[in-house]
Amino acid sequence: WFLSVVLVVSDLWGRWFGLAMGAVFSFLPVSIELTRRGSYFEEPLGAWLLFLSIYFLLKIALEQDRKQWPWLAGGIVTITGLTLSWQQFPIFYGAALLVILLSIKSVNFSKLLTKWVMVLGLPLLLGHFIASVLVGNDYSPLSMLKETAIGLWRRNDPDLLLAMQRADWADAGWRHLYWYFGWLGIVLIAAGFFNVIFDLKNFSKKTIGIFSVAGVLLLAMFVKDRFFAVSMSLPLMGVGLHP
């Protein structure tokens, strides 16, 4: 995790910012909880793949004048891994879809759309094939999209609330930002957010902002999504750290 944060942020904003962001990640309360001994294997693996998936999705758009296949291959592999390791992956797809919709007016949209469809569509098919055909279990990323839609539609069902509010949805509120990110994380998220707001024409910042806002909103509603929130907010913290 530490090496991934350092390398990704270094690639986007420079070596010293990468090292600084790695240090920030090491001391965030939520990242300490995420990587502690005894955690569910699904969450640290899924959160790590989510962080890398956002990075590859961003690099596909940024590296228009260079070879695209390394970023496309990396994106397909990591997003396929995400769909197979963490059942909450549809949240990533929702944020990615919003990024695509807000990029319609961009000059290179037609070229980017083909690549985005490839890097987002193939993992669903590959994940279904690997799980249902090669492994032979009942899990399918395609089915998870349907289950997520049903869950969102019936979120206020009394029986569902009775079961979920005892733990995963317990006492959901903005105060969890402090519990999981501390003052340093909150300051960096706020600084990154204002940096994005004043430079919305910058594709990288806009994309990072969309994913982070989605992650923070999830944490405000569901305590269980604290690990999802940290993966989606780390790039925005990097923006806040970068002048």
Side-chain angles (χ1 to χ4, degrees), residues 104-231:
I104 290 177
K105 294 183 179 180
S106 64
V107 177
N108 298 320
F109 178 74
S110 58
K111 295 180 180 179
L112 282 174
L113 183 61
T114 302
K115 296 168 186 173
W116 279 332
V117 169
M118 183 187 304
V119 81
L120 292 172
L122 281 178
L124 293 175
L125 300 177
L126 286 172
H128 177 79
F129 177 78
I130 292 171
S132 300
V133 180
L134 293 184
V135 177
N137 59 27
D138 293 330
Y139 175 80
S140 170
L142 298 174
S143 298
M144 281 310 306
L145 293 176
K146 180 181 178 181
E147 287 190 24
T148 301
I150 294 173
L152 291 173
W153 181 258
R154 301 191 61 185
R155 179 174 175 269
N156 293 318
D157 182 275
D159 294 331
L160 184 64
L161 291 174
L162 180 63
M164 297 300 287
Q165 283 184 338
R166 296 178 182 179
D168 292 342
W169 297 358
D171 299 322
W174 291 101
R175 63 186 177 278
H176 290 92
L177 274 179
Y178 172 73
W179 292 354
Y180 296 123
F181 290 96
W183 287 118
L184 177 59
I186 291 175
V187 168
L188 289 177
I189 288 174
F193 180 75
F194 283 111
N195 197 331
V196 170
I197 289 295
F198 290 109
D199 195 10
L200 282 176
K201 292 184 178 180
N202 186 304
F203 174 81
S204 299
K205 293 181 180 180
K206 181 173 65 176
T207 300
I208 288 170
I210 290 171
F211 276 101
S212 182
V213 167
V216 171
L217 288 176
L218 279 171
L219 178 56
M221 294 187 292
F222 311 116
V223 174
K224 68 174 293 184
D225 285 321
R226 57 193 178 278
F227 300 139
F228 221 96
V230 71
S231 292

Side-chain angles (χ1 to χ4, degrees), residues 21-65:
M21 198 60 227
V24 170
F25 172 79
S26 298
F27 289 99
L28 290 177
V30 67
S31 64
I32 294 173
E33 180 185 358
L34 172 65
T35 56
R36 69 184 178 184
R37 184 177 180 180
S39 293
Y40 286 114
F41 183 68
E42 174 191 51
E43 291 174 332
L45 176 62
W48 177 64
L49 290 170
L50 171 63
F51 175 70
L52 293 180
S53 295
I54 296 171
Y55 170 67
F56 280 114
L57 197 69
L58 186 61
K59 289 294 288 186
I60 287 169
L62 295 178
E63 300 292 339
Q64 288 295 305
D65 299 326

